Amino acid sequence: MTFSILPPPAPSPVVRASSPSSSPFLDSDGDADLTLPCNRSKTSQKAILTPGEVVTEDPQWMRGHGTTTTGPPSSTTILATVAGTLHRTNKLLSIHPLRARYTPSIGDLIIGRIVSVETKRWRVDVSAPLLAHLPLSAINLPGGALRKRTATDELAIRSFFSEGDLLVAEVQSVYGDGAASLHTRSLRYGKLRNGVFLRVGGTGGGGGGVVRSKRQVWTVSAGNGGGEVDVVLGVNGYVFICKHSRGELAAGREEAKRMNVVTRMEEEEDKEGEGSVLYGDRNEEIQPETRREIARLGGVVGALVENGVRVDEEMVMAGYGVSLEMEEMGVGEDVFLGGEKGKMVVEAALKRVRG
């Protein structure tokens, strides 16, 4: 029997991006081109990678978030584990997912919903992989009492928050498993009422969504006689728009107390009504004009997300101003900002912000 020796197969060609500007993948410094696998030809390159897809086999790259390696430890093949866009920082490759849950970070202002009530704490849904914890010791007691929580407080725990309640809080700490611990000790935080709740994309995903900014809570002087409206943007992608509450007045009163300006009688008046203000369940009477402007602000937020634009104070206020101007000019008779009308509002708002 004769044996024939065949020549080795030709090495598979690789495609290199010609320049960082022409590459569909985002680059932070543009120092070298990324070697792409041969099955992604130049005409079929996509800016979005899918789970299991080979990112590169070049040993010069290090894997980051959203990537993994396969085979023996010496393998240089990097695979994508999430669907998203490829980002490069020096020699580190990471994939930013198109959709992702919120990753808690200390100091973040978030909006959550009470899921369950336990002995000394509440479990809160904040759109994270794990439920957050709100300890009984991390909330304000009615009357501003500064004392250790007792068994009486534990028995009355549902009088503060119960299942289904919305609240705005701050991330105080993050456990080793990624779960967040919250607190509402500031008078800016607490139960949310008298408004509408929206759920949009947070900072974890791509496209439009809520971004971290200098102010996550502010008061809008609404047009058309709508009075004052509060806007709360949670970093976790939850938004709440409501009638202006006395939270700012309470914060001012608290500052006055520190300066010993408030009289004893005013303190007693505050103690009588503070419990109902902080933890009341009844919504106040909201005028039709205020309801209309709340709906308009909600439409602006929805239009920004639909068109892939960031949601922060600057963009929301610019979009709200454009919407009022369009109504004055007779473009549309309602506050609905979907479809082409929403696209027009967003484009005009972007021009206004960019100057």
Side-chain angles (χ1 to χ4, degrees):
M1 180 182 293
T2 59
F3 296 92
S4 59
I5 300 176
L6 301 177
S12 57
V14 296
V15 179
R16 294 179 180 268
S18 59
S19 65
S21 59
S22 62
S23 174
F25 302 109
L26 304 181
D27 184 13
S28 61
D29 57 325
D31 58 346
D33 294 333
L34 174 62
T35 301
L36 301 177
C38 61
N39 58 354
R40 294 188 61 149
S41 63
K42 203 165 187 177
T43 59
S44 65
Q45 286 181 2
K46 301 178 293 183
I48 298 177
L49 294 171
T50 57
E53 187 172 356
V54 176
V55 179
T56 182
E57 297 178 351
D58 197 328
Q60 67 171 323
W61 302 102
M62 297 183 297
R63 66 182 186 89
H65 294 292
T67 63
T68 187
T69 56
T70 183
S74 59
S75 175
T76 60
T77 302
I78 298 178
L79 303 178
T81 58
V82 296
T85 55
L86 181 65
H87 289 245
R88 180 153 60 97
T89 304
N90 294 329
K91 299 296 182 180
L92 181 68
L93 298 179
S94 59
I95 297 178
H96 288 194
L98 298 177
R99 291 178 177 269
R101 284 188 167 270
Y102 164 66
T103 302
S105 179
I106 296 176
D108 282 351
L109 184 143
I110 56 92
I111 295 174
R113 186 184 296 275
I114 301 296
V115 174
S116 63
V117 181
E118 300 179 357
T119 305
K120 295 183 179 180
R121 65 179 181 177
W122 294 270
R123 304 290 293 272
V124 188
D125 174 22
V126 294
S127 188
L130 299 174
L131 295 177
H133 307 279
L134 176 62
L136 180 61
S137 59
I139 68 170
N140 281 325
L141 293 176
L146 300 177
R147 57 175 174 79
K148 185 178 180 180
R149 307 306 188 261
T150 63
T152 304
D153 297 322
E154 295 179 16
L155 292 175
I157 190 171
R158 289 183 185 273
S159 64
F160 304 122
F161 297 107
S162 59
E163 291 87 345
D165 286 345
L166 289 171
L167 60 91
V168 55
E170 181 179 328
V171 178
Q172 183 177 16
S173 61
V174 180
Y175 298 108
D177 59 356
S181 178
L182 312 177
H183 82 89
T184 61
R185 294 190 185 95
S186 173
L187 290 174
R188 296 181 301 165
Y189 309 142
K191 187 176 293 188
L192 295 174
R193 298 174 297 145
N194 305 322
V196 60
F197 170 77
L198 303 173
R199 181 174 181 174
V200 301
T203 57
V210 179
V211 298
R212 293 180 175 88
S213 56
K214 293 182 179 179
R215 284 207 305 176
Q216 304 288 139
V217 183
W218 73 94
T219 302
V220 180
S221 297
N224 302 324
E228 293 185 332
V229 176
D230 291 336
V231 180
V232 184
L233 300 180
V235 177
N236 57 334
Y238 290 170
V239 179
F240 196 79
I241 306 172
C242 61
K243 175 185 175 182
H244 179 61
S245 63
R246 63 183 292 270
E248 296 294 330
L249 299 176
R253 177 62 59 83
E254 187 69 17
E255 184 66 24
K257 285 181 181 179
R258 297 192 189 100
M259 300 173 64
N260 297 324
V261 178
V262 181
T263 65
R264 179 72 176 177
M265 184 178 296
E266 288 174 330
E267 289 182 359
E268 294 300 327
E269 290 175 356
D270 281 350
K271 288 182 180 180
E272 291 178 1
E274 190 173 3
S276 60
V277 172
L278 287 177
Y279 302 111
D281 292 326
R282 291 187 177 182
N283 290 326
E284 302 172 6
E285 182 67 26
I286 303 178
Q287 300 299 323
E289 295 80 6
T290 305
R291 294 173 181 264
R292 180 181 178 88
E293 298 311 309
I294 289 176
R296 187 192 304 276
L297 285 165
V300 171
V301 173
L304 292 173
V305 175
E306 184 179 351
N307 289 275
V309 180
R310 73 180 192 277
V311 179
D312 57 8
E313 181 183 3
E314 184 180 30
M315 289 304 305
V316 171
M317 294 307 299
Y320 181 71
V322 171
S323 176
L324 291 175
E325 294 174 0
M326 292 176 63
E327 185 179 19
E328 293 177 358
M329 294 185 297
V331 181
E333 300 179 355
D334 53 19
V335 296
F336 175 71
L337 297 178
E340 292 297 325
K341 184 179 179 181
K343 187 176 182 180
M344 292 170 56
V345 170
V346 172
E347 291 176 352
L350 287 173
K351 291 181 180 179
R352 179 172 298 185
V353 169
R354 294 168 181 170

